[in-house]
């Protein structure tokens, strides 16, 4: 209602609770409100934040394609329009007031006055932002079954919230990307009596394959076909963080890892874990990686996450432009070559971990760069989880991995097998008796325990070394680090 009524100048943020960048933007959004409300011409500017999870129809109506999205609305304006506020200038009060039309006909502030408004701490008025308490997310050890459950839950959440970001039919490019994504899932997801967690997913995939042309006409038609007209709450198991708000992205990473391992295992398990009516295999790791890239481009709505992934892919990060060349369409795909897709995604995921660690240090450590030791603590699997994955004493300052062992670790984690991992059982990964440490209990890509321990170490170190020089690190920082792997 506050958009349609057009009463007064307003700044509106569209966000999703599961979007880590939205959570990190919250303090900045509050500071922006402080600065604007401390200005004599900004006292009446209204600030609003809309959850696109709770209010999907509103966000679809305004064609919100990514989070966070921030718009400035002038007095009398009843639509958010297409132009967002420039995020690089959003902390500039003068810029905001200009965009809102508040400064029309008024003398602009000097630089000293702008500095004054930025420094003045005034409680923001009318700020409607989700209440999020800083707390350490709950964690319980888990097995492969719960990994599958979380992946299936994120797939259904995608169908309900991410395929359609606006009204009307899917564009041609989106429809093609979705069709190829469905084919890749159908080809790679495990499907047998031991993977019942994906039963609903398989039923949904069959419907989408057989009635695809109807499904792409509108969100209502697709949800009707899938029996999802009434949106049910999504609950994750091991990806449970802060009342499920980050479960979606964690489960989605699980799904990606399952798919890439499933690609390698498609020909190696003699159809044991694949449906009999699976489509012909995608004969190129390059094509499979492009399908994943395009899915993220069109259907993953965390704006900054998406842009980082696409830039890395398009800039050939992790050698994605060349590492699959040995497995072209005219070559027979050997087991070792087909594993490159899973290893590429694993490298991408670890790259995300390190990047988010650097972003955390930029926010909380005043720009101090994490050390190599600190970076190693967010890499997965850790030395404790898979000591033979790490090659000791090689590679200078960098980390060198035994990728053959890493792949076997990924397969043991994400692909059906007859082994169960427990605290008292060793797991041999090669004829040379390379093994995963018996300490492991299937870990999801968020790696909570290791990261939480790492941050506890930082807290204690800072308390000891910097007492009297800095304010004590609080639990909000621990919370941020638990959200690194998003």
């Amino acid at each position: 209602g506050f958009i349609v009524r057009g009463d007064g100048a307003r700044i509106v943020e569209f966000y999703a609770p599961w979007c880590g960048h939205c959570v990190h933007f919250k303090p900045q959004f509050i500071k922006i409100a402080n600065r604007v409300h401390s200005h004599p011409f900004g006292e009446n500017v209204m600030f609003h934040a809309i959850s696109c999870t709770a209010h999907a129809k509103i966000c679809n109506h305004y064609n919100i394609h990514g989070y966070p999205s921030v718009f400035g609305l002038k007095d009398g304006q009843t639509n958010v329009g297409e132009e967002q506020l420039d995020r690089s200038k959003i902390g500039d009060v003068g810029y905001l007031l200009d965009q809102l039309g508040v400064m029309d006909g008024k003398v602009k502030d000097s630089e000293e006055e702008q500095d004054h408004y930025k420094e003045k701490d005034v409680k923001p008025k009318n700020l409607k932002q989700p209440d999020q308490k800083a707390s350490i997310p709950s964690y319980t050890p888990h097995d492969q079954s719960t990994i599958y459950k979380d992946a299936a839950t994120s797939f259904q959440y995608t169908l309900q919230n991410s395929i359609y970001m606006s009204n009307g039919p899917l564009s041609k490019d989106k429809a093609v990307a979705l069709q190829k994504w469905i084919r890749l899932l159908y080809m790679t997801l495990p499907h047998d009596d031991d993977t019942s967690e994906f039963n609903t997913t398989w039923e949904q995939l069959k419907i989408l394959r057989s009635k695809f042309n109807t499904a792409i006409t509108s969100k209502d038609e697709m949800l009707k076909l899938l029996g999802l007209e009434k949106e049910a709450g999504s609950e994750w198991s091991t990806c449970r963080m802060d009342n499920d708000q980050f479960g979606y992205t964690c489960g989605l990473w699980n799904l990606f890892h399952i798919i890439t391992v499933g690609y390698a295992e498609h020909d190696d398990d003699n159809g044991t874990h694949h449906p009999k009516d699976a489509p012909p295999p995608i004969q190129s790791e390059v094509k499979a990686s492009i399908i994943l890239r395009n899915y993220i481009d069109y259907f993953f709505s965390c704006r900054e996450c998406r842009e980082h992934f696409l830039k890395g892919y398009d800039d050939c990060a992790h050698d994605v432009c060349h590492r699959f060349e040995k497995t072209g369409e005219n070559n027979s795909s050997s087991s070792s070559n087909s594993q490159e897709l899973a290893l590429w995604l694993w490298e991408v995921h670890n790259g995300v971990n390190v990047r988010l660690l650097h972003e955390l240090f930029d926010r909380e450590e005043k720009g101090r760069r994490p050390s190599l030791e600190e970076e190693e603590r967010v890499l997965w699997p850790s030395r404790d989880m898979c000591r033979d994955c790490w090659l000791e004493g090689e590679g200078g300052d960098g980390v060198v991995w035994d990728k053959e062992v890493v792949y076997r670790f990924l397969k043991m984690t994400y692909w059906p097998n007859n082994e169960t991992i427990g605290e008292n059982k060793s797991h041999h990964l090669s004829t040379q008796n390379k093994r995963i440490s018996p300490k492991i209990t299937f870990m999801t890509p968020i790696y909570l325990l290791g990261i939480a321990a790492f941050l506890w170490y930082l807290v204690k170190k800072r308390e000891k070394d910097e007492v009297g020089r800095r304010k004590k690190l609080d639990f909000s920082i621990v919370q941020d680090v638990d959200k690194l792997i998003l």
Side-chain angles (χ1 to χ4, degrees):
F2 56 81
I3 295 178
V4 177
R5 287 195 302 269
D7 298 336
R10 292 139 291 155
I11 292 179
V12 183
E13 177 199 2
F14 295 88
Y15 73 96
W18 52 261
C19 170
H21 289 284
C22 298
V23 173
H24 298 153
F25 180 65
K26 176 187 174 182
Q28 185 181 3
F29 193 62
I30 293 174
K31 289 180 182 179
I32 292 166
N34 288 341
R35 295 171 182 173
V36 170
H37 287 151
S38 69
H39 194 288
F41 298 138
E43 293 179 341
N44 296 320
V45 174
M46 305 284 286
F47 284 79
H48 303 275
I50 301 174
S51 167
C52 289
T53 299
H55 304 287
K57 290 185 178 180
I58 294 176
C59 297
N60 289 343
H61 177 75
Y62 290 113
N63 295 322
I64 305 302
H65 295 286
Y67 316 122
S69 294
V70 185
F71 296 86
L73 283 73
K74 298 180 179 180
D75 185 16
Q77 185 176 344
T78 59
N79 196 313
V80 297
E82 296 182 0
E83 293 295 326
Q84 294 190 48
L85 294 174
D86 187 337
R87 290 279 299 278
S88 66
K89 300 179 181 178
I90 206 164
D92 184 338
V93 174
Y95 164 77
L96 293 176
L97 296 181
D98 277 342
Q99 295 298 306
L100 296 172
V102 174
M103 296 296 292
D104 291 351
K106 298 181 176 64
V107 178
K108 296 186 182 298
D109 302 312
S110 66
E111 291 186 7
E112 291 183 358
E113 289 173 320
Q114 282 290 342
D115 291 339
H116 170 72
Y117 298 134
K118 292 179 181 179
E119 293 169 1
K120 193 172 181 180
D121 185 16
V122 179
K123 184 178 180 180
K125 304 175 182 178
N126 308 314
L127 179 62
K128 299 179 180 180
Q129 186 76 358
D131 180 23
Q132 297 183 11
K133 298 180 180 179
S135 61
I136 300 177
S138 60
Y139 171 82
T140 54
H142 51 284
D143 56 20
Q144 194 175 75
S145 175
T146 56
I147 292 176
Y148 287 174
K149 287 178 182 177
D150 285 347
T153 300
S154 287
F155 174 73
Q156 180 160 307
Y157 186 93
T158 295
L159 296 176
Q160 294 173 315
N161 297 282
S162 299
I163 300 301
Y164 283 90
M165 300 295 292
S166 61
N167 294 322
L170 292 181
S171 67
K172 181 179 179 180
D173 289 342
K174 284 189 174 183
V176 170
L178 179 61
Q179 189 172 41
K180 291 183 177 181
W181 174 246
I182 292 170
R183 180 190 173 193
L184 181 63
L185 288 169
Y186 210 86
M187 167 191 160
T188 57
L189 286 182
H191 182 63
D192 57 22
D193 294 337
D194 295 328
T195 57
S196 59
E197 299 83 7
F198 285 121
N199 284 350
T200 300
T201 302
W202 279 108
E203 292 302 317
Q204 292 167 340
L205 288 173
K206 290 176 182 178
I207 293 171
L208 289 172
R209 288 186 70 202
S210 62
K211 299 182 179 180
F212 184 78
N213 289 336
T214 302
I216 62 175
T217 57
S218 72
K219 180 176 182 178
D220 289 342
E221 285 294 332
M222 185 186 73
L223 296 183
K224 183 178 178 181
L225 286 173
L226 299 173
L228 299 175
E229 301 99 315
K230 295 183 179 180
E231 184 170 341
S234 299
E235 294 186 3
W236 288 265
S237 299
T238 57
C239 284
R240 185 177 177 83
M241 299 178 68
D242 291 350
N243 296 323
D244 286 339
Q245 68 175 6
F246 293 105
Y248 169 54
T249 47
C250 170
L252 197 61
W253 272 114
N254 281 339
L255 183 64
F256 291 165
H257 285 296
I258 294 166
I259 289 170
T260 55
V261 172
Y263 180 91
E265 298 302 313
H266 187 275
D267 295 325
D268 294 339
D269 66 0
N270 298 315
T272 303
H273 299 294
H274 290 95
K276 296 180 180 179
D277 61 341
I282 297 168
Q283 295 293 335
S284 165
E285 286 81 0
V286 174
K287 289 184 178 180
S289 70
I290 291 173
I291 291 172
L292 179 56
R293 177 220 180 271
N294 290 342
Y295 169 82
I296 291 174
D297 187 11
Y298 289 119
F299 304 116
F300 189 56
S301 49
C302 175
R303 187 184 307 279
E304 293 185 46
C305 307
R306 179 177 67 239
E307 290 175 354
H308 277 295
F309 182 90
L310 296 178
K311 185 178 187 306
Y313 188 96
D314 296 343
D315 289 348
C316 300
H318 306 288
D319 198 30
V320 69
C321 298
H322 306 290
R323 67 188 302 159
F324 306 132
E325 288 179 351
K326 295 181 180 180
T327 56
E329 288 187 68
N330 296 325
N331 297 332
S332 60
S333 178
S334 68
S335 176
S336 59
N337 285 337
S338 63
Q339 295 168 8
E340 281 298 309
L341 188 68
L343 291 170
W344 162 73
L345 184 71
W346 161 73
E347 290 179 14
V348 170
H349 201 162
N350 269 338
V352 172
N353 298 351
V354 173
R355 175 177 60 79
L356 292 178
L357 180 68
H358 279 256
E359 290 181 3
L360 174 68
F361 272 61
D362 286 341
R363 291 193 306 272
E364 307 293 350
E365 296 281 334
K366 300 185 183 300
R368 180 176 78 84
R369 291 179 61 84
S371 66
L372 289 175
E373 180 184 359
E374 289 165 336
E375 287 185 357
E376 284 191 11
R377 289 179 180 270
V378 299
L379 298 179
W380 183 81
S382 69
R383 295 180 190 270
D384 287 339
M385 292 180 193
C386 181
R387 63 175 174 265
D388 290 310
C389 292
W390 297 63
L391 296 178
E392 302 287 351
E394 297 185 32
D397 295 331
V399 176
V400 177
W401 302 88
D402 186 329
K403 292 187 178 180
E404 180 182 351
V405 180
V406 168
Y407 178 76
R408 291 176 180 174
F409 181 91
L410 293 172
K411 180 180 176 181
M412 186 175 291
T413 304
Y414 295 109
W415 198 246
N417 57 75
N418 294 324
E419 294 182 284
T420 57
I421 290 185
E423 294 183 356
N424 299 314
K425 184 175 181 180
S426 299
H427 297 274
H428 298 273
L429 295 182
S430 72
T431 55
Q432 290 76 31
N433 291 327
K434 295 178 178 178
R435 64 185 181 88
I436 294 177
S437 167
K439 298 178 182 178
I440 180 175
T441 55
F442 273 120
M443 297 294 290
T444 62
I446 53 176
Y447 328 133
L448 289 177
L449 292 181
I451 295 174
F454 165 50
L455 261 296
W456 183 249
Y457 159 78
L458 285 183
V459 172
K460 291 301 181 183
K461 185 175 185 298
R462 287 177 58 178
E463 287 179 9
K464 180 178 179 180
D465 298 341
E466 303 180 24
V467 171
R469 189 171 68 87
R470 270 190 181 176
K471 186 173 76 172
K472 181 180 176 183
L473 193 67
D474 61 25
F475 279 110
S476 64
I477 299 178
V478 177
Q479 180 191 31
D480 280 345
V481 176
D482 284 334
K483 294 166 186 171
L484 275 176
I485 316 304
L486 298 175

